[in-house]
Amino acid sequence: IASGEKKGFVRNDEDNKQYYRHSTGEPYYPLGINTGWDKTADYTTILQNLSNGNANTYRYWHTPFAHQTLEWEVNSFYNGLGVYSQEAAGMTDYLLDLSDELGMYMQLVIFQHGMFSENVNEMWEDNPYNIDNGGFVEDAEEYFYNDSCKVYAKKLLRYIIARWSYSTNIFAWEFFNEVQ
C-alpha cells in the first residue's frame, strides 16, 4: 500500500508544544487572517487570495447574525435550540472542501461572545438558551452552570465533531471567542 499525498492532521509537536506538525511529521506554521463573519463575504475569493499570498490558515466564526452558526432563535433562517441549520453547516462543508483544494486550514470558532453576552455585542435576548425563547435560563451567565444547557451544548459539539472531524483541514477548534 502506497502512502497518500495528504499531510494529515495538524497537531502539537511532541517535542515542543509551541510548534505544530502534520501527521506526516512535516512542520506546520500557521499564517493567515481572521475572516470572521460576513453575510456578503465572498469566501471563495478570500481563501483563493490568501492561498495565492502563501497564507495557509484562516479563522471562521459560527455566528447567528451572518447565518453561520448551527442553531439560534426561531426565525426565517433558524428553527431553535437543537435544530441544526443545514444551510449554515453546508457553508462550513463548502469552506472545508475549498480549504482542501487550496491547502488552507480552518480555525473554527464555535461560539461567538455576543451570543452569551448581555452587555458587549449583546445577543442574549435572541439566544435559544434564553428562557424567553424556550430555553432554560434567564441570564447568560447561567448557561455555563445549567445542566440542561450543558446537555444541549454537548449535543451540538458532538454533532460538530461528527460532521467535521474527518477533515485534515481543521487546524483548531475554538470553543468560545472572547468569552470573559
Side-chain angles (χ1 to χ4, degrees), residues 14 22 48 63 71 102-104 109 128 140 143 148 161:
E14 290 181 19
H22 292 275
Q48 286 173 337
T63 63
E71 62 183 357
L102 298 173
M104 299 289 295
V109 179
Y143 163 83
S148 295
I161 297 297

Side-chain angles (χ1 to χ4, degrees), residues 62-169:
H62 275 182
T63 63
F65 55 83
H67 296 151
Q68 292 166 259
T69 194
L70 298 186
E71 62 183 357
W72 198 238
E73 71 166 337
V74 176
N75 59 37
S76 62
F77 190 83
Y78 290 109
N79 292 308
L81 189 61
V83 182
Y84 308 136
S85 167
Q86 294 307 294
E87 287 181 69
M91 181 61 172
T92 302
D93 291 338
Y94 170 76
L95 290 174
L96 287 171
D97 288 345
L98 183 60
S99 297
D100 188 46
E101 287 177 33
L102 298 173
M104 299 289 295
Y105 296 85
M106 176 191 289
Q107 178 172 327
L108 178 58
V109 179
I110 298 168
F111 292 115
Q112 185 260 348
H113 63 277
M115 297 164 68
F116 296 90
S117 177
E118 296 176 69
N119 53 32
V120 177
N121 305 125
E122 65 275 357
M123 291 185 280
W124 176 248
E125 70 180 34
D126 298 327
N127 193 307
Y129 287 95
N130 185 328
I131 204 162
D132 292 339
N133 299 320
F136 309 105
V137 293
E138 291 183 32
D139 301 311
E141 183 178 336
E142 293 176 59
Y143 163 83
F144 296 97
Y145 311 107
N146 181 278
D147 288 338
S148 295
C149 291
K150 289 177 187 179
V151 167
Y152 273 81
K154 285 179 181 181
K155 284 180 182 179
L156 174 63
L157 293 173
R158 197 172 307 126
Y159 178 84
I160 288 170
I161 297 297
R163 183 153 183 157
W164 294 304
S165 66
Y166 76 91
S167 177
T168 56
N169 296 89

Side-chain angles (χ1 to χ4, degrees), residues 7 9 13 20-28:
K7 298 176 187 178
F9 292 97
D13 185 299
Y20 301 101
R21 289 195 180 277
H22 292 275
S23 302
T24 59
E26 182 179 331
Y28 173 73

